[in-house]
């Protein structure tokens, strides 16, 4: 295993015989450092959740549930924070888990990745990848061990899902934290090629518009149904501690509600039970669980909002695509009128893929029977987002490029030379206009010795002179 050691200080005097060694100690191997960080993240996460479970155990009737059951419940909650599903005894599966809990292991693994990079004295992004792997591998093993240890006659967590989810979350969060430990985000973004960087920025902008619209829609719906929310909350009679824990649980489901609202604005909507639907054109729902947050959804088959409000909500994805296309053009290295719509559609494809993935993780079964189908359809949400946002971003990017070239005639003239070079010498020669503005091309009609005198150019057909 590769071991990183601290460099010797330049100009240091040689150590005299018998004198103590003042050189810094050797850095631990990445495998050891990653294992320590993984254990620390796991222990801290359990320490955060155990007091919450213990408070609920003390405040609620707990006949037949001792302290081992409290620890088992805390480990199950920690696995649920990694979106690990549970199989209930003769009652189906529980897969609709709160996405807000993912922030706890994500933040801890972020810090763990930073600690591994700084402790290992790493200096390059390739080494950050090794550090993320060194963190993710033992963390996945620990998650699998917790899944085995938290099994009970009532619920059984999925061990393969625990290993895979733990590895992926640790790999992503640890890599991002380790990269952030090396340099600020601005410097890291400049390492990407200009065009992919502009697509990523446009995708982030489109997702931000969708998330903002989803949050506003979910909050407005809950505000409209606030009396029903209060009546459900009072009917549960959870007491002070129970109400506080119930509030935390509902806050953990806020990201799920925002994603469902985003799918609502896209058009396909979502379901809460087999044969149900909640969409801008109307809703058809059956009985709902006694969870106060669900009061924001309608309880019968009827149109949700007036027609003009439905049309306004359906415009949101197109506005997100326009915003993403404008950001893409603004971040692009130079105008590219011919391929700008293609890059805009690529922004829509990336946004749709992310939306589909989030929709898949925001839902899941709630036992067997009617509630085995809960949440939006991932493929429908992703496909509709690709079409709506992609087309809007492509049109917006094309128009923005055309307007920029119209406002700056000199820029259009300068881009004509790279375009001509692409037609003559092959595509991609003058694709990037970043730099000092000088373009160097090879004249294939010049003399073999490279002189390219005027006589040789006059004797052979070809471009007279490139500006």
């Amino acid at each position: 295993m590769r071991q990183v050691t601290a460099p010797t200080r330049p100009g240091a005097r040689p150590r005299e015989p018998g004198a103590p060694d003042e050189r810094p100690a050797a850095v631990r191997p990445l495998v050891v450092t990653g294992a320590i960080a993984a254990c620390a993240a796991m222990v801290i996460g359990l320490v955060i959740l155990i007091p919450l479970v213990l408070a609920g155990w003390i405040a609620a009737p707990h006949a037949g549930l001792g302290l081992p059951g409290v620890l088992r419940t805390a480990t199950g909650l920690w696995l649920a924070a990694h979106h690990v599903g549970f199989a209930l005894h003769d009652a189906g599966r529980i897969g609709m888990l709160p996405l807000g809990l993912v922030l706890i292991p994500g933040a801890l693994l972020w810090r763990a990745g930073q600690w591994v990079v700084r402790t290992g004295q790493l200096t390059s992004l390739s080494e950050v990848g090794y550090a993320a792997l060194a963190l993710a591998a033992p963390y996945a093993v620990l998650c699998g061990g917790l899944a085995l240890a938290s099994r009970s006659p009532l619920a059984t967590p999925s061990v393969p899902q625990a290993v895979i989810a733990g590895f992926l979350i640790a790999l992503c969060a640890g890599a991002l934290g380790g990269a952030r430990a090396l340099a600020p985000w601005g410097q890291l973004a400049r390492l990407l090629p200009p065009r992919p960087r502009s697509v990523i920025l446009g995708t982030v902008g489109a997702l931000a518009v969708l998330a903002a619209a989803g949050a506003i829609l979910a909050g407005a719906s809950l505000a409209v149904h606030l009396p029903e929310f209060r009546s459900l909350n009072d009917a549960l009679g959870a007491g002070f501690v129970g109400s506080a824990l119930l509030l935390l649980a509902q806050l953990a489901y806020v990201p799920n509600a925002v994603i469902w609202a985003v799918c609502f604005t896209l058009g396909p909507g979502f379901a809460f039970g087999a044969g149900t639907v909640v969409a801008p054109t109307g809703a058809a729902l059956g009985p709902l669980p006694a969870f106060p947050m669900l009061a924001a959804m309608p309880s019968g088959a009827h149109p949700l909002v007036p027609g003009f409000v439905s049309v306004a909500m359906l415009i949101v994805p197109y506005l997100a695509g326009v915003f993403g296309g404008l950001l893409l053009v603004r971040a692009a290295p130079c105008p590219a009128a011919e391929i700008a719509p293609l890059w805009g559609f690529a922004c829509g494809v990336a946004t749709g893929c992310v939306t589909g993935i989030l929709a898949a993780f925001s839902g899941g079964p709630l036992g067997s029977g009617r509630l085995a189908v809960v949440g939006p359809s991932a493929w429908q949400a992703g496909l509709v987002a690709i079409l709506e946002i992609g087309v809007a971003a492509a049109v917006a990017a094309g128009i923005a490029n055309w307007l920029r070239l119209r406002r700056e005639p000199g820029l259009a003239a300068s881009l004509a030379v790279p375009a001509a070079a692409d037609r003559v010498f092959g595509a991609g020669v003058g694709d990037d206009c970043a730099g000092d503005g000088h373009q160097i091309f090879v004249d294939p009609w010049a003399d073999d010795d490279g002189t390219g005198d005027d006589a040789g150019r006059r004797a052979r057909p070809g471009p007279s002179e490139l500006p």
Side-chain angles (χ1 to χ4, degrees), residues 382-420:
L383 181 60
V384 172
I386 288 174
L387 295 177
E388 294 179 350
I389 299 174
V391 171
V395 173
I399 294 176
N401 273 273
W402 179 75
L403 291 177
R404 183 178 177 185
L405 293 175
R406 292 265 300 181
R407 289 195 306 265
E408 304 177 16
L411 182 59
S414 66
L415 292 176
V417 173

Side-chain angles (χ1 to χ4, degrees), residues 290-307:
F291 192 62
M293 195 174 184
L294 297 178
M297 291 195 298
S299 57
H302 57 82
L304 292 179
V305 291

Side-chain angles (χ1 to χ4, degrees), residues 180-211:
R180 181 60 181 84
L182 291 181
W185 289 121
Q187 297 181 11
L188 294 174
R190 283 193 289 270
L191 297 177
L192 296 173
R195 289 294 178 186
R197 183 171 66 238
S198 63
V199 172
I200 292 175
L201 183 60
T203 302
V204 172
L207 289 173
V209 173
L210 290 178

Side-chain angles (χ1 to χ4, degrees), residues 227-342:
E228 293 86 346
F229 174 85
R230 290 177 177 174
S231 62
L232 276 176
N233 196 39
D234 295 339
L236 292 176
F240 178 76
V241 177
S243 298
L245 295 177
L246 182 61
L247 178 60
L248 291 177
Q250 295 178 91
L251 291 177
Y253 274 106
V254 166
N256 301 64
V258 172
I259 296 172
W260 289 14
V262 168
C263 296
F264 182 88
T265 60
L266 290 174
F270 57 90
F272 206 100
T276 63
V277 66
V278 178
T281 55
L285 285 174
L288 299 175
F291 192 62
M293 195 174 184
L294 297 178
M297 291 195 298
S299 57
H302 57 82
L304 292 179
V305 291
F308 69 93
V309 179
S310 298
V311 173
M313 287 187 295
L314 291 175
I315 294 176
V316 169
Y318 298 98
L319 295 179
V322 171
F323 185 70
L326 295 178
L327 283 183
L328 182 144
V329 172
R330 184 178 180 84
C334 62
E338 294 83 2
I339 62 172
L342 182 61

